[in-house]
Amino acid sequence: VWGNNEFGQVGDGTTTNRLAPVQVAGLTGVMTVVAGGGHTVALKNDGTVWAWGNNDSGQIGNETNINRVLTPVQVTGLTGVAAVAAGGRHTVAVKNDGTVWARGNNDSGQLGDGTTVNRLTPVPVPGISGVSALGMAVKYVGGQYSTRVHRGQPGAVEPLRPVPAAKQREALDFLARRA
């Protein structure tokens, strides 16, 4: 991992920005890594989820909102995970059974649990099952982020369309200002 490390999102135990890739401290057996707005999430081959970086809203999922988590910690109570996605300050996972679990910032209801309460550990998203993939909206609309899910057989979902480079830059600039 490399780049901005203000919140420890590189995962090397420091807050030093990295211009070249460095090994994430103590993390092996990873099949997927996703980045949010200041936090990073890894899904390991064994179905466990690990996270580090900005945690001001509980997006790491370790029962705290201690702002900087400099090395990976296992997300509390979340196993059997098939896919993960990270938003600005929230994180979502799909378990192998097709259920969706979310944690972190929820000021706009982006966790889907029917509240606007931030969650420090994963909570199930009610009324959703049979999910095969996740996507995070990169677009910032009126102060809100959103989460979308795909139902059906893995690989049978319509792929996400690429976001134009200018829109990606706009979203990343916004996230950097908000962090």
Side-chain angles (χ1 to χ4, degrees):
V1 180
W2 64 96
N4 182 348
N5 198 25
E6 177 182 359
F7 300 103
Q9 62 264 46
V10 167
D12 65 352
T14 75
T15 56
T16 303
N17 292 342
R18 300 298 179 180
L19 302 178
V22 296
Q23 178 67 42
V24 175
L27 198 60
T28 60
V30 174
M31 66 180 199
T32 303
V33 175
V34 296
H39 71 291
T40 308
V41 182
L43 173 58
K44 292 180 74 171
N45 293 325
D46 64 4
T48 60
V49 178
W50 297 70
W52 59 97
N54 186 12
N55 192 39
D56 65 347
S57 299
Q59 58 267 48
I60 299 299
N62 65 343
E63 301 181 61
T64 75
N65 62 350
I66 294 172
N67 193 24
R68 292 181 182 180
V69 177
L70 302 180
T71 58
V73 295
Q74 187 171 356
V75 174
T76 303
L78 194 60
T79 59
V81 173
V84 292
R89 290 168 44 222
H90 70 292
T91 309
V92 181
V94 173
K95 287 186 151 194
N96 290 322
D97 65 5
T99 59
V100 178
W101 295 70
R103 64 190 185 271
N105 183 276
N106 198 26
D107 62 358
S108 299
Q110 58 266 53
L111 299 186
D113 66 351
T115 75
T116 56
V117 175
N118 292 353
R119 302 297 183 171
L120 303 181
T121 57
V123 295
V125 178
I128 297 180
S129 61
V131 174
S132 61
L134 284 171
M136 260 327 145
V138 178
K139 188 174 181 183
Y140 173 75
V141 181
Q144 299 179 10
Y145 292 94
S146 62
T147 305
R148 69 178 180 176
V149 297
H150 302 280
R151 290 189 174 137
Q153 297 298 318
V157 297
E158 181 180 325
L160 299 176
R161 287 178 286 186
V163 177
K167 290 291 184 187
Q168 290 179 21
R169 261 190 312 280
E170 179 183 313
L172 293 172
D173 288 345
F174 168 79
L175 292 172
R177 286 192 307 272
R178 196 167 153 106

